[in-house]
Amino acid sequence: MRKLCSGVAALLSGFALLGGAPAPGAAAPGAVPLVAHYPMEPDPTDGKRLPDAGPLKLHGRVGAGAGLGDGGHKGKALLLSGNGDSTARVSQPGLIARLGDRMTVTAWVRMDAYPQGRDAGLLAKRSGNVPTPFALSVGRDGKLGFEGYNGLGWENLFTGPNAAPRGAWFHLAFTYRAGGKAVFYVNGKPVASRNASRALAANDQDLVFGRDPYRGAFAGALDEVRLYAGALTPEQVALDMAGTLRTRVAAENDFPDPTHPVLLALARYDMPRGFTQGYGRTRHTARRAPGPDAVDWPVITWKGKPVFEKDGEERVDVPLRDGGEARPLFQQPGDEVLSPGNHWFRPLQWRWGQRYVYTTDRTARSWHNDYELWTFHVLIRGAGAGDVKNVVLTVGGKTVYRNAGPLRSLTLLLPQNEAGKPYALSVGGRGPIRFDAGLRPVTP
């Protein structure tokens, strides 16, 4: 149990080869970073291996209901019956797990028939309810589809009907550039596009050929599947289709450091919401009000820059922590901090490919994309209508608020201050009065 403190108020590079895997050496100018290349040629020692002919050797496995057999666009193909375990998957995706900001997927596709029920999954990077960088599908009317989650919502792109031919090989390309465009190409020609607002939420889930957890199974064949760490131009798509695109080994520096969108919110501790079961905001968002009975808050900063200048909410993109730097229970030097008060949070890669905003700050709450910082109100009122003027608030020797007034009243919404660093308030030249704002544990 907690109670308000007493105070003023309740308070990876390589030489590029034409149409093939890069060899060690200096990368040719303009070469595209190749992450993986699945030519669907079987391993003579292991018929269920899905070999990656690219330099990173991100090999996969072919499911019991699928196989590498004759009839490919070029040699063999991955043959998918559309029944049972008719898939192939890459369970150790390596740099495929970094795709999201800018990327291209290309493949030769042969559809035996359009799906009869649900859309069929062609290639997907999701397993159940996790953030998804891409899931490519085909519908029962020959419509091609893309779905990808950007941390805030879904980026979707669908072609018109009959974009995917039946019974014949066609070249499919999907390109994505955050802040640019998402584009579908069929046989080298763009068939659909849309604005791509944000980077997609990369994950470490399997790369699955021929199925998607939220779609049906694909009946047909796939060949010459390639994944690139870059959005190909129309000219490069044509070169990929011809098998003459210059490539190099994809490296770590081809992928921007992942970020996570966080909605920061100032909330009023004295204005609780209804019960949220832990999946939503617990307090109402702070709102400014003009005089004569003003409501305001001090300058609050993140990375040394003011936030909440316009209102009580601000969206920011924050580095995403993973591995060892994501797991410490308590505040670490690299964590994000709102000042005053040293209110910290850490966006991290959580279980099952999900992302979460974490904190142990006892006057804040957080979940997938949100960080709610509680504020505690201090009411300043004088005897007369304009008695509240020349208000100055400092903390830790730094001035964080000024208001010349005059006002009838002023409600200041203050984040909890750090222990040993009280707020100091002066009004009309009087003071300062030093006080703590926030919560403190109830001691027995």
Side-chain angles (χ1 to χ4, degrees), residues 287-306:
R287 307 293 182 195
R288 283 193 171 99
D293 296 308
V295 179
D296 210 348
W297 52 81
V299 174
I300 298 174
T301 61
W302 170 66
K303 295 183 181 293
K305 299 178 181 179

Side-chain angles (χ1 to χ4, degrees), residues 420-432:
K421 296 182 179 180
Y423 287 105
L425 177 68
S426 299
V427 180
R430 300 186 300 273

Side-chain angles (χ1 to χ4, degrees), residues 142-220:
K143 174 179 64 181
L144 294 167
F146 153 76
E147 298 171 278
Y149 188 71
N150 65 20
L152 296 174
W154 289 91
E155 305 268 0
N156 299 325
L157 178 62
F158 297 94
T159 70
N162 304 311
R166 281 182 293 181
W169 285 101
F170 68 93
H171 183 265
L172 171 66
F174 172 77
T175 69
Y176 188 94
R177 180 185 294 276
K181 295 284 186 179
V183 186
F184 265 122
Y185 298 82
V186 172
N187 292 331
K189 299 182 183 299
V191 294
S193 68
R194 62 158 288 167
N195 292 332
S197 63
R198 303 176 55 84
L200 301 167
N203 68 37
D204 59 359
Q205 303 296 297
D206 293 1
L207 174 67
V208 181
F209 302 73
R211 189 182 287 274
D212 176 338
Y214 295 99
R215 299 288 180 264
F218 173 71

